Amino acid sequence: MAPREIIVIPDPRLKLVSEPVAAVDREIRRLADDMLETMYEAPGIGLAAIQIAVPKRIITIDLARKDEPKTPVVLINPEIVWRSEETSTYEEGCLSIPEYYEEVERPAQCRVRYLDLDGKPQDLDCDGLMATCVQHEVDHLNGVLFIDYLSRLKRERVMKKFTKQAKREATA
Ligand code: GNR
Ligand code: NI
């Protein structure tokens, strides 16, 4: 296992639509392992493969607190097959938009269908933070970031800040 570098906005790869995984093989399990390690090191509660610059439809999630046993979940080719009418609002953050947090309203519950690490189809009913996190991660697979739900003013302000920072780092 090895942690990998997390890409940040305005990296254009974050806008890519990731490709489905054709077969859950050793290479995919290795990638999932690296994603978990990267997520724990960050630390974050979720990670999409595109955040380590791999455009494949894989996400990892672990909502366990630091003082609790790890509960890693790997979802391959996840598809949200049901969303509740009821919504909830969470203050979201993203490892690809470091240290920026805003409230986002999303369906409060959802059901996600995916392949597990054995390639076996699974359904998972989600609510609370899990529902928010699953939707945040599946959005990444479609090139969507949580700032895309904010006002244009807020989104452009944060994009500008990170674009400036990237330019400073490029010329430093
Ligand atoms: O670590 C993360 N925390 C978080 C908090 C609220 C809503 C979503 C998230 S996901 C984020 C990690 C990340 O960027 N995943 O793509
Ligand atoms: Ni994110």
Side-chain angles (χ1 to χ4, degrees):
M1 292 218 290
R4 303 203 202 170
E5 193 180 323
I6 295 175
I7 63 175
V8 298
I9 58 167
D11 193 311
R13 291 171 292 186
L14 290 167
K15 305 262 42 160
L16 290 175
V17 176
S18 294
E19 291 291 330
V21 170
V24 182
D25 54 18
R26 211 173 40 187
E27 183 204 336
I28 293 298
R29 281 188 284 269
R30 192 192 153 83
L31 172 60
D33 250 19
D34 284 358
M35 287 175 62
L36 285 167
E37 195 175 346
T38 305
M39 179 180 79
Y40 289 128
E41 189 191 72
I45 59 171
L47 192 78
I50 192 59
Q51 294 181 275
I52 57 166
V54 178
K56 291 187 197 293
R57 303 188 78 85
I58 308 174
I59 67 184
T60 57
I61 295 179
D62 192 337
L63 302 185
R65 291 166 193 281
K66 239 176 31 198
D67 55 344
E68 291 173 346
K70 286 183 167 53
T71 54
V73 188
V74 177
L75 300 91
I76 298 163
N77 298 341
E79 203 184 324
I80 295 175
V81 294
W82 173 78
R83 296 168 169 83
S84 64
E85 295 283 332
E86 187 197 338
T87 62
S88 67
T89 301
Y90 272 93
E91 184 169 80
E92 299 198 16
C94 182
L95 295 171
S96 297
I97 313 171
E99 287 161 53
Y100 181 75
Y101 306 90
E102 268 298 343
E103 290 195 335
V104 177
E105 184 181 8
R106 299 181 186 269
Q109 290 94 29
C110 66
R111 178 172 303 129
V112 63
R113 190 160 290 163
Y114 64 96
L115 301 177
D116 66 17
L117 283 171
D118 297 317
K120 205 175 136 216
Q122 303 283 357
D123 272 11
L124 182 65
D125 285 310
C126 306
D127 66 2
L129 185 55
M130 188 64 175
T132 288
C133 192
V134 162
Q135 292 174 75
H136 175 119
E137 302 312 336
V138 171
D139 273 352
H140 273 299
L141 304 183
N142 296 321
V144 174
L145 301 170
F146 83 88
I147 54 172
D148 294 330
Y149 298 106
L150 307 180
S151 69
R152 200 173 82 174
L153 179 68
K154 282 186 180 170
R155 182 171 54 256
E156 286 179 352
R157 202 183 274 155
V158 64
M159 284 301 291
K160 203 167 169 180
K161 181 186 153 200
F162 280 90
T163 302
K164 267 189 181 168
Q165 194 173 317
K167 285 198 177 121
R168 267 205 310 274
E169 279 162 16
T171 55

